[in-house]
């Protein structure tokens, strides 16, 4: 009998489900930037996500449900995240209507 694993050494504790909102928000990390709006539960509050998710390409106007692997970075840069986020699976991508002022910027 053999065991099939997709990621060596990964466990369920290393994975999170993120809901990514249909628009970004102005935020300030090292410099002013655009942050993804992310929450971990449908009833949770949107929070700014200051880093990227490796393997994920964001498209405005869609809400995503993502399975993401998290890994601690041994020696993170002073201005960077101490956690690396990697896309495991895009569970869903749903078209959302943006507020009127936001649609004008995208046209």
């Amino acid at each position: 009998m053999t065991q099939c694993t997709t990621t060596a050494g990964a466990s369920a504790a290393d994975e999170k489900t993120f809901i990514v909102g249909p628009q970004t928000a102005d935020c300030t990390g090292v410099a002013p930037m655009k942050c993804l709006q992310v929450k971990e539960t449908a009833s949770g509050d949107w929070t700014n996500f200051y880093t990227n998710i490796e393997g994920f390409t964001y498209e405005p106007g869609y809400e995503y449900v993502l399975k993401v692997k998290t890994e601690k970075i041994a020696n993170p840069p002073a201005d960077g995240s101490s956690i690396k986020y990697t896309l495991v699976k895009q569970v869903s991508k749903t078209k959302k209507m943006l507020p009127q002022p936001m649609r004008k910027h995208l046209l």
Side-chain angles (χ1 to χ4, degrees):
M1 189 162 187
T2 60
Q3 184 179 10
C4 234
T5 57
T6 54
T7 308
S11 69
D14 298 323
E15 287 188 6
K16 293 181 179 249
T17 299
F18 285 164
I19 301 167
V20 179
Q23 60 193 45
T24 57
D26 291 327
C27 60
T28 304
V30 175
M33 57 192 266
K34 294 283 189 183
C35 284
L36 294 177
Q37 295 297 288
V38 172
K39 57 186 177 178
E40 292 190 44
T41 63
S43 60
D45 292 326
W46 294 109
T47 59
N48 290 338
F49 195 76
Y50 290 88
T51 190
N52 68 330
I53 300 169
E54 191 173 296
F56 173 63
T57 303
Y58 174 77
E59 186 179 343
Y62 290 90
E63 184 174 284
Y64 299 84
V65 177
L66 308 175
K67 287 273 190 208
V68 176
K69 180 175 79 167
T70 62
E71 297 174 83
K72 288 198 186 305
I73 297 172
N75 296 303
D79 61 351
S81 176
S82 62
I83 300 172
K84 175 184 174 185
Y85 298 90
T86 306
L87 180 66
V88 173
K89 179 182 179 183
Q90 181 175 298
V91 177
S92 67
K93 178 180 178 182
T94 308
K95 182 79 171 157
K96 295 288 183 179
M97 290 299 291
L98 295 175
Q100 195 65 30
M102 192 64 186
R103 281 196 294 220
K104 288 179 185 174
H105 293 290
L106 294 176
L107 296 178

